Every structure is written in structure tokens, then in C-alpha cells.
Amino acid sequence: IQLTQSPSSLSTSVGDRVTITCRASQRISNYLNWYQHKPGKAPKLLIYGASSLHFGVPSRFSGSGSGTDFTLTISSLQPEDFATYYCQQSYSTWTFGQGTKVEVK
Amino acid sequence: EVQLVESGGGLVQPGGSLRLSCAASGFSFSSYWMSWVRQAPGKGLEWVANIKHDGSDKIYVDSVMGRFTISRDNAKNSLFLQVNSLRAEDTAVYYCARVYSTYYYMDVWGKGTTVTVSS
């Protein structure tokens, strides 16, 4: 199963609303997870099961979708949110999307 | 504190081998599936392999099948990845991760160990 994220990168500012989409090449129900990754750090789980917020993750992060189309939204971008974001499916042999780099405008 | 610490990376020639280790602490290691994920320089995350909590089931990405072997020692709270017949494209930071088996997501990650394949 291929996951295609869009955009591949985006330039944005603190306080902006950010939306990242992830499209699966076939239906995966809600077996879709989102991770944040910063250089030199361990990846962090944000959202599991398409829409469930992982413990300790700020409520400005939210996920939605089912089937083939999914969205990660950051309601008001904070300085610590500049990072690369990945979707990952666990419906069958696992795959990640190619990543979306969120950069400072 | 729940923690995963990888070790065993290094510089190896093409065709060589390494054994990566991941030491787990702060949780009941034998109750969880575990994973290895890697990131090549300038590339995204790539899932490599999973192993069931008791070691009875193992799954690999196609590109490493027959060359990499995932294993675990529950008595020592340790996860391993034996990497053989290494190629330049295996150069990456290798992360171990704990798998939560509802929706199968990776909720705890180590900081990674670096494997460089070069002559």
C-alpha cells in the first residue's frame, strides 16, 4: 500500500493553521498513524487510529479521515512544531508516506 | 521511565555484517510487538521489520528479506537486528520502536544507531 502525502513541504508562520493530507493507494479503514520527526531526535507519535490523540500530545494536533483519505491538522502552529511529519499505515505490510517538511516562512 | 536505547551501529564495508541491539526498560518488554525503522540520509522513514511479543512471528520489508533477521531475548529485555550482505543503500539511522497492538502504532522510540556502509 502506497501513501502519498501533500504537500511535500510548506512554509508557514507561528499561529497559522496547517493541514497535511495523506492518501492511501487502497482502503485502509482507519489504520493510519501520524508522527513528528525532528533532525537528530527520535520520531514522536502524534495520532493513532486516524483520529485518536496520543497521550501528552497537545490538543492543537488533530487527525481525521477513513478509507483512503486522511488529514493531520495543526490548529495554531507553535515554534516547536517546525518538523517533518509522516503518515504510516498498519493495515497491511507497513509503509510510511514520504514526509511533509514544515518550515519557517 | 519507558526507554529504548539502540547500539551496535558503525562503519562496515559492502557485503559486511552488523548486529544492532535495542535495550528496553521501564515496561513489560515481553508483552509487546517491536519494530525496526530506518532513515537513510536525506530520505524519509522506512519501516524495516516487526517481531511478535513471543518471537513467533516476524515480518520484513521486501528490500531486506533474506539479508536481515529480527530477533529478541525477552529474558534480557533486548531486541536485535542482524544485518548481513550490507549494501550502500542500507546506510541509515536505525531506530527501534515499541508497537502498541491496537491499530499497531509505534508509541515509544529510541534515538537510533547509525549504520554506514562504505568501502
Side-chain angles (χ1 to χ4, degrees):
Chain A
I1 297 174
Q2 292 188 352
L3 298 178
T4 302
Q5 290 182 229
S6 60
S8 295
S9 65
L10 67 101
S11 298
T12 186
S13 301
V14 172
D16 285 354
R17 182 180 182 89
V18 171
T19 299
I20 299 168
T21 64
C22 178
R23 174 164 288 178
S25 59
Q26 63 187 73
R27 294 183 67 84
I28 58 171
S29 184
N30 58 345
Y31 286 84
L32 192 285
N33 310 307
W34 290 96
Y35 301 87
Q36 177 193 70
H37 194 202
K38 297 179 180 179
K41 303 287 188 180
K44 289 185 178 180
L45 173 69
L46 299 174
I47 302 286
Y48 64 91
S51 60
S52 295
L53 192 68
H54 181 53
F55 179 79
V57 174
S59 58
R60 62 181 180 271
F61 291 92
S62 63
S64 64
S66 184
T68 59
D69 293 307
F70 302 87
T71 300
L72 173 70
T73 300
I74 310 172
S75 60
S76 178
L77 196 75
Q78 297 303 299
E80 60 269 30
D81 300 337
F82 291 101
T84 301
Y85 293 85
Y86 295 91
C87 57
Q88 175 251 333
Q89 64 82 17
S90 54
Y91 183 80
S92 68
T93 307
W94 293 7
T95 48
F96 283 92
Q98 82 279 15
T100 296
K101 188 173 184 179
V102 176
E103 300 174 298
V104 177
K105 183 180 287 184
Chain B
E1 180 190 5
V2 175
Q3 195 172 13
L4 297 170
V5 179
E6 302 93 336
S7 61
L11 174 64
V12 60
Q13 292 187 340
S17 299
L18 283 173
R19 191 190 195 207
L20 308 184
S21 300
C22 172
S25 59
F27 66 98
S28 179
F29 178 73
S30 61
S31 299
Y32 289 87
W33 283 70
M34 296 294 294
S35 287
W36 286 98
V37 172
R38 66 184 179 182
Q39 184 179 35
K43 303 291 186 182
L45 298 175
E46 179 185 33
W47 167 76
V48 174
N50 285 350
I51 185 168
K52 195 174 180 180
H53 57 86
D54 60 1
S56 63
D57 195 8
K58 304 173 185 181
I59 313 165
Y60 301 91
V61 67
D62 286 350
S63 60
V64 308
M65 212 169 297
R67 300 188 300 123
F68 289 13
T69 302
I70 189 171
S71 63
R72 65 192 298 161
D73 184 340
N74 286 343
K76 296 184 177 179
N77 292 334
S78 294
L79 175 72
F80 305 102
L81 187 68
Q82 179 68 40
V83 295
N84 298 332
S85 303
L86 282 163
R87 307 166 180 167
E89 55 265 34
D90 296 317
T91 294
V93 177
Y94 285 74
Y95 299 97
C96 66
R98 186 178 81 171
V99 178
Y100 199 87
S101 53
T102 305
Y103 292 111
Y104 290 92
Y105 53 85
M106 293 171 279
D107 66 337
V108 179
W109 295 68
K111 294 183 178 180
T113 187
T114 300
V115 172
T116 303
V117 184
S118 175
S119 55

